[in-house]
């Protein structure tokens, strides 16, 4: 995959991730920022696409985890991004799972519990994405 940059007016300018290791690091950073109750907490209800990594037992939203070296400070400077570009790149490693059956129901409940810690709710149209290779285990 070629490294791509997002250059759209009014949209965050940043390089998209090119490896699953970068995604995992961003997921860890997202959850660390949540634990430290940084500004990202106020934005939890706006995220629609959530990505779950079993080995970390952590979630991260596409708009955060799809850009290189993301953190709350960089995220807040990039207001106005749609996440469309990150979702395209994340498809390489993740699949969307139905939220109304099996593991999808379980993960949606887990996400709801996580967000309730911060007195937030999961969006009604939220989607969960799961690592492809995990589904083969």
């Amino acid at each position: 995959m070629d490294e791509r940059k997002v250059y759209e007016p009014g949209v965050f300018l940043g390089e998209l991730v090119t490896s699953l290791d970068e995604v995992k690091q961003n997921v860890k950073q997202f959850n660390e920022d949540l634990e430290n109750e940084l500004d990202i907490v106020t934005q939890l209800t706006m995220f629609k696409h959530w990505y779950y990594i079993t080995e970390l037992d952590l979630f991260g939203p596409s708009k955060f985890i799809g850009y290189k070296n993301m953190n709350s400070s960089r995220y807040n400077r990039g207001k106005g991004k749609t996440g469309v570009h990150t979702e395209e790149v994340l498809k390489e490693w993740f699949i969307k799972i139905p939220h109304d059956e099996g593991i999808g129901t379980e993960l949606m409940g887990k996400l709801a519990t996580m967000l309730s810690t911060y007195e937030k709710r999961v969006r009604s149209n939220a989607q969960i994405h799961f690592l492809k290779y995990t589904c083969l285990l």
Side-chain angles (χ1 to χ4, degrees), residues 29 32-42 72-73 76:
Q29 184 65 53
E32 184 178 308
D33 290 355
L34 278 180
E35 286 178 23
N36 293 322
E37 298 194 27
L38 298 179
D39 288 341
I40 199 74
V41 170
T42 63
S72 287
S73 175
N76 287 331

Side-chain angles (χ1 to χ4, degrees), residues 26-130:
N26 283 346
V27 168
K28 289 176 190 175
Q29 184 65 53
F30 175 79
N31 284 273
E32 184 178 308
D33 290 355
L34 278 180
E35 286 178 23
N36 293 322
E37 298 194 27
L38 298 179
D39 288 341
I40 199 74
V41 170
T42 63
Q43 300 172 50
L44 287 174
T45 56
M46 69 179 238
F47 299 124
K48 178 180 177 183
H49 293 273
W50 289 91
Y51 292 76
Y52 179 74
I53 299 179
T54 305
E55 67 189 75
L56 302 175
D57 193 25
L58 297 172
F59 290 94
S62 63
K63 294 178 190 178
F64 191 102
I65 68 169
Y67 292 104
K68 288 185 176 281
N69 304 310
M70 186 53 74
N71 60 45
S72 287
S73 175
R74 285 189 69 212
Y75 182 84
N76 287 331
R77 287 194 306 261
K79 291 200 189 267
K81 59 195 160 301
T82 66
V84 171
H85 299 288
T86 58
E87 291 154 24
E88 276 302 309
V89 104
L90 292 169
K91 280 183 187 178
E92 181 175 345
W93 305 291
F94 293 87
I95 59 169
K96 182 172 57 172
I97 57 174
H99 66 275
D100 57 351
E101 58 184 60
I103 189 72
T105 302
E106 180 183 326
L107 290 177
M108 194 59 76
K110 189 173 204 153
L111 177 61
T113 299
M114 181 190 93
L115 295 184
S116 71
T117 303
Y118 303 98
E119 299 179 358
K120 304 291 182 188
R121 286 194 232 162
V122 178
R123 286 175 56 157
S124 61
N125 62 345
Q127 298 176 6
I128 303 269
H129 302 260
F130 202 67

